[in-house]
Amino acid sequence: MASFEYNGKAVDVDEDGFIEDPSVWNEELAKALAEIEGVTEMSDDHWKIVHYLRDYYKQFGIAPMVRKLCKETDTPLKRIYELYPSGPAKGACKVAGLPKPTGCV
Amino acid sequence: MPETVENASQQMLRERLPYYVENPPATGLVERFLDAFAAILEHTDYKPLLDSYCRTTNKCNRCSVTCPVYQVTGEARDVPCYKTTLLLQVYQRYFSLGGWMRSQFNTHAFELTEEIILEMADVFYRCTACRRCTLECPMGMDHGLITRLGRYILSLAGISSKALQVSVREQLEGETHNTSKIPKVAMLNTLEFLQEELEDQFGLQVEVPVDKQDRDFVFFCAVSDYLMEPDTLLGNLAVLYAAGDWDRWTIGSCNYDGINYGLFYSDWHLERIIKQLVGEVERLNGKNLLIGECGHASRSAHDFVPVFGGKRPSPVVSFIEYTLDCLRKGKITLNPNIITQKVTYHDPCNIARGGWIVDQPREILKSFVKDYVEMTPGGKLNYCCGGGGGLVSIDEIHDYRMEVGGRKKAEQLIATGADICIAPCANCKKQLKELVEHYEIPCEIMGLHDLILKAIEIPGGKSAEERLEEAQLYAM
C-alpha cells in the first residue's frame, strides 16, 4: 500500500492518491492533498465545496449527484473545474478525503 | 500494518501491465492459468467452440482492417486474430489430444510461459471487446468472446483489473449491492433531488415510485447515472410521466444497478449479477425489466436474463424501445422546434453490433431534431467509443483510451461537425466526454433522454418553449 506524507505524518493512500481511511481526514491533510491536485491555495470557495462534500458523505455515505453539489453550493460545474482541475469526482472528492469513486464514474 | 514485500514475479507483472491488479499471484502463474482454464472447460460449453475455432481459424488478418485499435497502432499484438491465437494455442497444446501428442514428439512444441500469460493479460485489456472484427471474419469467429474468455481465465488465475474487480465485489458482496457504492439512503435522497428538479423545470409535483408491487416495469439504470447524469434520468422520468405510465413502473430499493461488468471479464459474475436483478423483480412481483440508457447493461440483461432468469424469465425492455413505443402510439409529444443545433448519434457497440438497437433511436431523433447528421460508418458498423469492454472504468489507462482506443471515434466525431452527439450509454458518455476534452472538439455529449427532456411536452407542465426561454434567460 502506498503512503502519503504531510507534516511528518504518513497516511495510507491508494494508487491514485485517495486516502484509504476517510476518518483520518483533517484540514491540514486536505491542504496537502490539494497541492497534489494542483491547488496551491485553498480559498473559501475551495473549502465550501470540500465541507459540503464531507457533510454529505457523513450523512449519506457517498458523494452527492454532481448537479446537487453545484446547486447546493451555488457553484457552476465550470467553476468547480477551475477550483479543482481534475473535476468534482477525482479532484474535489480526493481533497475532501472521500474514497475513490468506483464503477462508471 | 506490516509492509508486504512483493517478489520479482509480482513486480514484473505490475511493471508489464498498464492497469492495477489487486494482489497479483506470487508463484505458479502457469499452473494457475492452466487450472483455471481446465475448470472453465469442465463447467461450461466453451470446448466445442474452441475446437471449432481451432479448426476454422485462417489467420487471414481481414479482422485487422476493422479493428479501431489496430488501425491506430499498426502493431501485430492488436490484430484480433493474433490475440485469439494466443489463447487457442494454449487450448490446443494442453486440452486437445493432438496437441498433447505433438508435444510428446516435438522438442520445439509450444509451452505456456509466464511471459505468454502476461502478453495475454496485456492484449486482452487493449481490446475494447467492441466486436467490430466479427463483421469481417470470413469464418465467423467472435474475437470479442475470446477476449472475455481470456479475461475470465486470467481473473481466476489472479489477474484482472482492480477497477472492475472492486466494483463487482461491491455489487455482489458489499452492503450497497451496486458498482458505485451508492447506499439506499443516498439513492432516495437523489430521487428527492430529481423530484425538485422536475418541479423547477416543469412545475410538476410528483413522487418517484419506489418498491411498489405488481408494476409492469422495474427500472434499472447504470447506477452511476444517480451521481453523474441527472438529465438522462429526468428524461426517463419525463417520458414515463408524459406517457401516463406513472403507475406502471417502480424502482427497487434493494437493487437498482443495471451495470454488469461480468460481461467484460467473468461469466460467473455475469450470472450472479443477472440473478440479483431477477431477484429484485421477483421481490416486487414486477413484469418487465426496464433498462436505462446503457449499452452493456442493456445487452447483458437482454441476452442473459433469458439464460439465467429462471423458468419464466421476465422480458427485458430497453428504455429506447419503450420511448419509441410511446412515440409511435402518440403517448408522448416531442416539440420539433426546440432543438436547432446539428445533432449526431453514436451507436453503443453492445446494442448496435448485433443489430438490436440501431433504427429505434434514429426514428426518435429524426422526429424532433431539425438538423440530424449521421456518423460514418454507423449502425452495426459503428466504431467503438474507445472505452468499451470496461476500459472506461480503468482510469489509469486514460491516455491509451484517448490516443489509441478512441482516436477513430474522435476523427469520426470531428467529421460530422455536430454540435451535439447523442450517446445512450453510461460508458460511452464518459469516454466521449473525455475525448472531446482531449481533442478539443466543440461538441456536447449527452444521452438520448437528455435531449428528449428539452423537447418533451408534459400535460399540466410548462411547455418546451417556456422551458427553453427560461434556460436561455438563466444562461445569460
Side-chain angles (χ1 to χ4, degrees):
Chain A
M1 192 181 292
S3 69
F4 168 71
E5 292 211 6
Y6 79 104
N7 289 354
K9 284 178 248 172
V11 182
D12 289 336
V13 293
D14 71 6
E15 294 92 338
D16 296 309
F18 283 79
I19 59 172
E20 295 276 357
D21 178 5
S23 68
V24 303
W25 185 90
N26 58 46
E27 293 200 351
E28 284 301 307
L29 175 55
K31 283 183 196 165
L33 289 166
E35 262 180 55
I36 301 176
E37 283 301 304
V39 181
T40 43
E41 200 182 336
M42 289 288 285
S43 67
D44 287 350
D45 282 356
H46 285 97
W47 284 119
K48 187 164 71 174
I49 305 282
V50 161
H51 287 307
Y52 180 76
L53 284 172
R54 281 205 72 79
D55 288 345
Y56 193 91
Y57 178 74
K58 270 185 213 156
Q59 200 180 344
F60 294 106
I62 184 91
M65 190 178 229
V66 177
R67 183 170 301 163
K68 190 174 167 80
L69 170 70
C70 296
K71 210 170 171 180
E72 304 275 322
T73 59
D74 202 16
T75 314
L77 189 56
K78 211 173 142 199
R79 175 73 181 139
I80 295 184
Y81 273 93
E82 285 167 16
L83 295 169
Y84 296 99
S86 335
K90 306 277 149 66
C93 282
K94 185 191 284 184
V95 175
L98 270 55
K100 183 178 169 8
T102 58
C104 292
V105 178
Chain B
M1 195 185 294
E3 191 75 16
T4 46
V5 181
E6 297 195 334
N7 69 15
S9 167
Q10 287 167 303
Q11 283 169 10
M12 184 171 82
L13 186 141
R14 286 203 191 282
E15 280 166 25
R16 187 79 165 63
L17 301 180
Y19 52 91
Y20 305 142
V21 178
E22 260 188 331
N23 308 319
T27 55
L29 190 54
V30 172
E31 291 75 17
R32 281 166 171 270
F33 189 91
L34 291 174
D35 283 351
F37 206 162
I40 287 173
L41 291 174
E42 189 176 333
H43 296 287
T44 67
D45 296 332
Y46 280 109
K47 207 171 181 355
L49 177 100
L50 293 171
D51 281 334
S52 155
Y53 280 12
C54 285
R55 279 196 299 273
T56 55
T57 176
N58 278 338
K59 304 190 180 79
C60 69
N61 277 351
R62 270 178 74 160
C63 49
S64 61
V65 299
T66 58
C67 175
V69 173
Y70 177 78
Q71 285 182 29
V72 172
T73 67
E75 292 178 32
R77 64 173 165 169
D78 292 322
V79 176
C81 210
Y82 173 79
K83 281 187 268 221
T84 296
T85 305
L86 284 176
L87 193 66
L88 290 184
Q89 66 185 359
V90 180
Y91 175 75
Q92 271 187 309
R93 161 65 182 82
Y94 294 94
F95 301 102
S96 76
L97 185 62
W100 177 81
M101 284 175 69
R102 273 194 294 279
S103 75
Q104 301 304 302
F105 300 113
N106 184 353
T107 49
H108 299 293
F110 168 78
E111 289 293 328
L112 181 62
T113 61
E114 274 194 22
E115 177 50 36
I116 294 169
I117 294 174
L118 291 181
E119 186 179 8
M120 286 192 273
D122 176 39
V123 300
F124 288 139
Y125 279 91
R126 288 173 68 81
C127 171
T128 67
C130 77
R131 298 169 69 246
R132 195 164 190 266
C133 48
T134 59
L135 299 173
E136 197 62 31
C137 180
M139 307 314 288
M141 290 169 70
D142 183 347
H143 301 292
L145 182 62
I146 296 296
T147 288
R148 182 164 99 223
L149 175 60
R151 290 182 185 182
Y152 186 19
I153 301 167
L154 285 164
S155 77
L156 292 181
I159 303 175
S160 56
S161 152
K162 182 182 173 186
L164 299 182
Q165 214 176 350
V166 295
S167 301
V168 169
R169 187 183 305 136
E170 180 64 25
Q171 192 176 19
L172 288 170
E173 289 156 18
E175 284 178 17
T176 66
H177 282 296
N178 65 72
T179 48
S180 289
K181 294 188 186 174
I182 302 177
K184 179 178 165 178
V185 282
M187 193 274 287
L188 295 175
N189 181 263
T190 301
L191 293 182
E192 273 176 36
F193 175 70
L194 293 175
Q195 286 166 193
E196 285 166 27
E197 286 280 295
L198 276 179
E199 189 170 356
D200 287 352
Q201 293 186 28
F202 291 87
L204 286 176
Q205 282 187 324
V206 294
E207 193 181 327
V208 175
V210 176
D211 286 339
K212 304 290 182 200
Q213 292 280 320
D214 310 318
R215 296 281 163 107
D216 288 334
F217 301 109
V218 181
F219 177 68
F220 299 93
C221 58
V223 81
S224 50
D225 283 0
Y226 289 117
L227 293 171
M228 311 300 289
E229 303 293 347
D231 287 339
T232 306
L233 291 173
L234 287 168
N236 294 152
L237 297 180
V239 170
L240 284 159
Y241 188 83
D245 286 343
W246 202 250
D247 295 332
R248 290 182 61 204
W249 77 289
T250 186
I251 295 174
S253 71
C254 292
N255 198 308
Y256 35 91
D257 189 5
I259 286 177
N260 193 335
Y261 289 164
L263 187 70
F264 302 146
Y265 80 102
S266 167
D267 295 7
W268 180 42
H269 295 328
L270 170 70
E271 176 178 348
R272 292 166 75 200
I273 295 165
I274 291 291
K275 285 183 170 163
Q276 273 194 178
L277 294 192
V278 171
E280 182 68 345
V281 176
E282 281 172 2
R283 181 180 77 85
L284 297 168
N285 196 29
K287 292 191 183 63
N288 303 280
L289 286 84
L290 181 61
I291 310 291
E293 279 192 21
C294 184
H296 91 277
S298 303
R299 178 178 155 218
S300 54
H302 181 262
D303 288 6
F304 294 99
V305 166
V307 181
F308 302 124
K311 282 184 184 158
R312 278 184 296 280
S314 304
V316 173
V317 181
S318 127
F319 215 107
I320 300 174
E321 293 176 305
Y322 167 74
T323 297
L324 178 62
D325 186 55
C326 292
L327 189 68
R328 282 181 178 169
K329 286 180 178 156
K331 288 165 76 178
I332 57 169
T333 309
L334 303 176
N335 188 325
N337 300 316
I338 301 296
I339 307 299
T340 48
Q341 301 98 315
K342 186 187 265 196
V343 177
T344 189
Y345 179 76
H346 159 77
D347 288 276
C349 300
N350 279 303
I351 53 177
R353 189 76 65 222
W356 173 32
I357 295 178
V358 174
D359 297 331
Q360 300 91 322
R362 289 173 169 80
E363 186 175 334
I364 297 171
L365 284 169
K366 286 174 187 170
S367 78
F368 73 104
V369 171
K370 283 184 189 306
D371 190 2
Y372 176 78
V373 57
E374 278 292 352
M375 206 181 278
T376 328
K380 282 170 78 170
L381 282 163
N382 82 318
Y383 274 113
C384 176
C385 63
L391 299 196
V392 76
S393 301
I394 309 176
D395 281 329
E396 58 271 24
I397 59 166
H398 173 268
D399 292 351
Y400 171 78
R401 286 190 277 112
M402 296 299 110
E403 292 295 338
V404 179
R407 170 97 60 102
K408 296 301 289 184
K409 181 52 59 175
E411 289 169 4
Q412 263 194 306
L413 201 50
I414 293 167
T416 63
D419 306 306
I420 295 174
C421 174
I422 299 300
C425 170
N427 279 240
C428 301
K429 264 187 274 192
K430 178 171 183 255
Q431 163 77 1
L432 293 173
K433 282 176 187 176
E434 289 175 11
L435 269 185
V436 295
E437 195 186 322
H438 183 80
Y439 288 99
E440 297 180 356
I441 306 170
C443 180
E444 191 181 354
I445 307 295
M446 60 170 81
L448 178 62
H449 286 82
D450 304 47
L451 201 68
I452 289 172
L453 178 71
K454 292 177 193 286
I456 194 164
E457 301 289 5
I458 296 191
K462 284 183 209 167
S463 73
E465 274 167 14
E466 276 177 277
R467 300 196 312 271
L468 180 65
E469 273 172 30
E470 278 180 13
Q472 283 166 344
L473 209 62
Y474 182 72
M476 272 161 72

